[in-house]
């Protein structure tokens, strides 16, 4: 029996039979730390290990499905039903069913990371039941989608700003982006324990929601709204807890322990991990939600200004004829 509780904005809910979680220090270091980048938003994340993780993991964690359900409830704020929808990292996000239910008349296209795509092409017969194969991120056409949905993927981005810029390019004017990801308070109990014991980082640092809001503005989005809630998951079985943690990912920090830990080491930190009064382990997951829209492009007033051809076409189409407006 696994129970979970959600706390956020003074909301607390107990649901019997809830489940699932994130990953630990099981993946050995696969590459040296990346060279420092000039990007202010580039994160310390082992890209080689990330590619391996994306290739090897095919299932959808329970927590992703639960967050997708909660995020779909927020789609009511989209006043104009979208006709073209992009589901970014659809296979890993696990929100396809709730997205189709929320947008029944829309054409929904999956977008997957190129680094996770198989090198060999799929057999021709798979097209019989997959009429709309997924796009890779780099192949998404510009300015066509009215809604871009991204569930639980942005925390794996090496440079979130670059991802947001790609989202901005993919959306049509007045298109809407909605996403969710882990926040910095995720697994704070394990982070505290590992720091106290000198075990090194348990994983990459997640981006604060206020910083993500600033990145949305920097990428060209308007009226960003950020929100968060904390989900507390509990277990009474250590093996199940570790298994469900691994479903959510691995330790991709470049400075993680360079080899495999022993079962004795694992048992030691499990004994030191605090339990609740009922004897169950409890771990916190901060879930960050964000949404914004792509505004009509504007040309900044300056002695010399430049505007892209696509933006110029958009502004011309939206300019009222003489004598109107």
């Amino acid at each position: 029996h696994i129970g979970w509780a959600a706390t956020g904005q003074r909301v607390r809910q107990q649901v019997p039979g809830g489940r699932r979680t994130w990953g630990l220090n099981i993946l050995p270091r696969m590459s040296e730390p990346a060279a420092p980048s000039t990007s202010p938003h580039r994160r310390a994340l082992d890209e080689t290990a990330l590619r391996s993780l994306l290739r090897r993991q095919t299932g959808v964690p329970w927590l992703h499905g639960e967050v997708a359900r909660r995020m779909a409830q927020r789609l009511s704020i989209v006043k104009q039903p979208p006709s073209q929808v992009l589901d970014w990292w659809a296979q890993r996000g696990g929100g396809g069913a709730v997205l189709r239910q929320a947008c029944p008349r829309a054409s929904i296209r999956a977008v997957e990371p190129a680094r996770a795509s198989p090198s060999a092409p799929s057999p021709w017969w798979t097209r019989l039941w997959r009429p709309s194969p997924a796009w890779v991120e780099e192949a998404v056409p510009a300015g066509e989608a009215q809604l871009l949905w991204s569930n639980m993927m942005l925390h794996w981005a090496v440079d979130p700003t670059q991802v947001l810029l790609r989202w901005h390019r993919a959306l049509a004017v007045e298109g809407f982006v909605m996403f969710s990801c882990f926040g910095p308070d995720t697994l704070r109990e394990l982070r505290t324990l590992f720091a106290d014991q000198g075990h090194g980082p348990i994983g990459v640092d997640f981006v604060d929601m206020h910083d993500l809001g600033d990145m949305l503005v920097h990428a060209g989005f308007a009226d960003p709204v950020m929100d968060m809630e904390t989900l507390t998951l509990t277990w009474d079985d250590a093996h199940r807890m570790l298994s469900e943690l691994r479903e959510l990912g691995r330790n991709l920090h470049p400075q993680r322990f360079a080899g495999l830990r022993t079962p004795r080491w694992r048992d030691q930190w499990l004994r030191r991990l605090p339990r609740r009064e009922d004897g169950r382990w409890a771990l916190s997951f901060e879930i960050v939600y964000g949404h914004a829209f792509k505004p009509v492009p504007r040309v900044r007033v300056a002695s010399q200004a430049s505007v892209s051809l696509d933006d110029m076409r958009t502004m011309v189409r939206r300019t009222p004829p003489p004598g109107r407006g």
Side-chain angles (χ1 to χ4, degrees):
H1 172 77
I2 296 179
W4 60 269
T7 60
Q9 299 179 337
R10 298 187 180 179
V11 176
R12 188 169 187 86
Q13 179 183 12
Q14 289 286 349
V15 180
R19 328 177 15 178
R20 316 290 180 194
T21 332
W22 189 77
L24 263 199
N25 194 17
I26 306 301
L27 193 68
R29 187 187 304 170
M30 301 183 64
S31 67
E32 293 301 318
S37 170
T38 56
S39 172
H41 302 300
R42 189 175 178 88
R43 301 163 62 219
L45 192 151
D46 188 333
E47 297 183 64
T48 303
L50 175 61
R51 287 192 294 269
S52 176
L53 172 66
L54 294 176
R55 286 194 301 266
R56 293 161 58 182
Q57 288 198 328
T58 57
V60 178
W62 172 88
L63 185 58
H64 286 199
E66 174 61 23
V67 173
R69 183 186 66 80
R70 293 167 179 249
M71 191 164 71
Q73 296 174 349
R74 301 163 183 255
L75 281 173
S76 60
I77 63 178
V78 181
K79 298 179 180 180
Q80 185 67 28
S83 60
Q84 300 288 332
V85 178
L86 296 178
D87 187 359
W88 213 268
W89 288 26
Q91 181 177 2
R92 186 68 179 155
V98 296
L99 190 56
R100 284 190 296 270
Q101 184 178 4
C103 307
R105 298 184 178 180
S107 172
I108 302 176
R109 189 70 178 252
V111 180
E112 302 294 351
R115 52 182 171 269
S117 303
S119 56
S122 301
W124 64 267
W125 57 83
T126 60
R127 293 195 293 271
L128 298 177
W129 62 85
R130 295 178 185 173
S132 298
W135 277 319
V136 296
E137 292 173 297
E138 292 78 4
V140 176
E144 293 188 1
Q146 284 80 46
L147 173 64
L148 192 149
W149 163 286
S150 174
N151 185 46
M152 301 297 283
M153 66 75 53
L154 192 57
H155 48 254
W156 294 130
V158 178
D159 191 338
T161 299
Q162 294 302 314
V163 176
L164 299 181
L165 288 170
R166 185 168 288 169
W167 290 355
H168 187 274
R169 178 179 179 274
L171 282 170
V173 171
E174 297 183 354
F176 202 77
V177 61
M178 180 170 286
F179 66 91
S180 61
C181 60
F182 283 134
D185 265 356
T186 297
L187 295 178
R188 61 173 178 264
E189 298 86 356
L190 282 180
R191 294 180 188 274
T192 300
L193 174 64
F194 275 47
D196 292 344
Q197 300 298 320
H199 292 328
I202 68 162
V204 296
D205 295 327
F206 300 128
V207 182
D208 182 82
M209 69 175 184
H210 301 96
D211 293 332
L212 288 173
D214 293 340
M215 293 178 196
L216 283 168
V217 174
H218 178 75
F221 288 99
D223 296 341
V225 176
M226 305 300 302
D227 191 14
M228 61 79 65
E229 64 178 342
T230 299
L231 304 184
T232 300
L233 285 78
T234 67
W235 298 263
D236 57 9
D237 182 271
H239 293 288
R240 189 170 185 179
M241 178 176 67
L242 291 174
S243 175
E244 294 179 352
L245 285 171
R246 295 186 188 106
E247 288 181 4
L248 283 171
R250 294 293 191 272
N251 188 346
L252 303 183
H253 198 289
Q255 300 301 325
R256 66 187 179 276
F257 186 69
L260 296 176
R261 306 280 195 176
T262 65
R264 180 181 300 176
W265 174 86
R266 177 201 60 201
D267 295 340
Q268 287 178 351
W269 76 256
L270 281 172
R271 286 195 299 268
R272 291 168 179 161
L273 184 64
R275 301 198 191 200
R276 305 193 312 178
E277 293 182 358
D278 59 4
R280 300 170 68 86
W281 286 286
L283 295 176
S284 302
F285 295 83
E286 180 184 345
I287 309 299
V288 172
Y289 302 94
H291 64 259
F293 79 98
K294 179 178 178 177
V296 177
R298 297 180 180 180
V299 179
R300 295 182 179 180
V301 178
S303 58
Q304 182 177 358
S306 61
V307 61
S308 70
L309 181 59
D310 289 338
D311 287 348
M312 180 64 72
R313 288 170 176 167
T314 300
M315 289 186 288
V316 170
R317 284 196 299 265
R318 291 180 174 270
T319 301
R324 295 182 59 186

